[in-house]
Amino acid sequence: YSRPDMPHFPARGPLKGLLSKKVRARMTSQPAQQYAKFADRLWLNSWDRVKTCNVQVPKILATYPPEKVSELRNFVAPPGGAVVKFNHQAGNVVVLKGGERFPESKMALYLKRSKLSYRYDKPNPEPHYKHVRFGVIIEEFLDAFRGGDPPDLKYYSFDGYSPTVRIIFGRTTKPYNIFYEPYTIARLPFTHPLLPTKTEPVPMELRCGWKNATIASECLSKGINFARVDLYISNCQVFLGEMTMTPIGGNKLHEPMDGFLGSFMRDALFLDPKLKGWDLFGTKLPYWVDPSLTVKAG
């Protein structure tokens, strides 16, 4: 699989400017409501493009709006396990094995954060998070995680083209990341400001589903000037983790990464007119997908 029609590193795209600067401009000058939906797990799971692009999403087992979060203590994970997380912010994920209950030691944190907007009052505020539906969701535990940490594939995608993928290894242990060109599997000389980059050679396994993951990242980003598309591969099937519109809050990236990626990002948020009219709270999707999902388990 190759894209000879598009520039490969070190060749740059047709535009000038740093990706970090353009992302900060998105955060300060573009309506956050327009791209908030991509941070909303419930909306993302219902997006028709997910099926069109042949991508799976983890099944949602239960949902808890802020006023119902105290009922988390009644949840019992099914035999396959479950993943508990916030719908409106990152971090503080709780993994439950089959038969386990939500730990009481985490209740105070979840009760507090279920009502707080994530990174809206920080030095680099990400304003779209205040427009995402607040609450807690519980997802199925994917088979890919049973044998340890599967690689976390983070594609930097620009209107249907993914010139770079950052792969995070060992997410829950001692994470490190490496940048690759998705088509040639060539290692790129990029580093990241938040995660260490392994310097010694790392054999890249072309596992089943790799080609489909790259194709899916480009399919999902078509018509959007830039999104970081996070994917996993489980049993050769591609799963969508999230689509991040303001990665690391627009913080400056190291060169030559910042300039190379910035050369592909246009100014307009949505390059496909059909996407402009989307409104998270104007959809037919109810606040919580299915009332039956909040039935107490166990």
Side-chain angles (χ1 to χ4, degrees):
Y1 176 56
S2 62
R3 287 292 302 271
D5 58 313
M6 299 297 287
H8 291 203
F9 184 83
R12 295 197 174 195
L15 308 172
K16 295 182 179 180
L18 303 177
L19 178 66
S20 59
K21 185 176 181 180
K22 293 181 179 182
V23 169
R24 288 196 299 273
R26 167 183 285 175
M27 293 164 56
T28 57
S29 63
Q30 293 178 326
Q33 296 92 327
Q34 286 192 337
Y35 59 90
K37 51 187 164 280
F38 294 98
D40 188 285
R41 183 80 242 183
L42 298 174
W43 181 90
L44 199 62
N45 277 26
S46 70
W47 189 22
D48 56 3
R49 190 177 290 190
V50 168
K51 182 178 294 185
T52 300
C53 296
N54 195 29
V55 178
Q56 300 293 319
V57 290
K59 181 181 178 181
I60 295 180
L61 304 176
T63 56
Y64 297 83
E67 65 274 13
K68 296 283 188 178
V69 170
S70 62
E71 296 183 13
L72 266 175
R73 54 173 52 95
N74 299 312
F75 180 83
V76 177
V83 178
V84 186
K85 62 176 68 175
F86 293 103
N87 185 57
H88 64 291
Q89 57 178 261
N92 299 293
V93 175
V94 176
V95 177
L96 302 177
K97 296 180 181 178
E100 286 186 341
R101 290 184 177 273
F102 186 81
E104 190 65 32
S105 60
K106 294 286 186 179
M107 278 306 308
L109 174 68
Y110 265 66
L111 286 169
K112 177 181 179 180
R113 295 214 169 188
S114 64
K115 301 177 182 179
L116 295 178
S117 181
Y118 171 68
R119 294 202 66 178
Y120 182 62
D121 56 353
K122 303 295 181 182
N124 283 334
E126 298 181 57
H128 62 291
Y129 280 105
K130 72 174 182 178
H131 299 290
V132 177
R133 284 167 288 192
F134 286 24
V136 175
I137 62 175
I138 301 180
E139 296 178 342
E140 65 175 329
F141 188 80
L142 296 179
D143 288 340
F145 291 89
R146 299 196 187 284
D149 285 344
D152 189 350
L153 312 178
K154 297 183 177 294
Y155 288 88
Y156 292 78
S157 303
F158 304 84
D159 186 26
Y161 177 55
S162 299
T164 301
V165 58
R166 177 164 64 96
I167 305 181
I168 300 180
F169 299 88
R171 163 66 79 177
T172 61
T173 53
K174 293 183 178 180
Y176 63 89
N177 67 141
I178 300 177
F179 292 84
Y180 294 95
E181 185 176 75
Y183 318 101
T184 63
I185 317 301
R187 182 167 176 171
L188 298 175
F190 297 164
T191 58
H192 193 271
L194 300 182
L195 281 179
T197 298
K198 206 172 185 65
T199 55
E200 58 266 29
V202 176
M204 182 59 202
E205 176 188 353
L206 279 179
R207 63 179 57 203
C208 175
W210 171 268
K211 174 182 175 180
N212 289 339
T214 301
I215 293 173
S217 72
E218 298 185 331
C219 177
L220 290 166
S221 67
K222 187 66 177 175
I224 304 171
N225 65 350
F226 166 64
R228 199 192 70 201
V229 182
D230 298 359
L231 302 173
Y232 299 95
I233 299 174
S234 176
N235 295 327
C236 300
Q237 177 62 56
V238 181
F239 279 81
L240 175 61
E242 62 177 315
M243 287 184 65
T244 305
M245 308 296 278
T246 57
I248 63 170
N251 288 329
K252 187 173 177 57
L253 303 173
H254 298 157
E255 286 289 14
M257 176 185 177
D258 215 345
F260 173 72
L261 295 178
S263 70
F264 296 99
M265 183 175 175
R266 294 179 172 85
D267 292 332
L269 174 61
F270 294 125
L271 308 173
D272 182 349
K274 295 179 182 178
L275 302 180
K276 293 182 179 179
W278 289 355
D279 179 3
L280 175 63
F281 297 104
T283 65
K284 296 181 180 179
L285 186 68
Y287 190 91
W288 296 110
V289 182
D290 182 347
S292 66
L293 293 177
T294 58
V295 174
K296 300 174 184 178

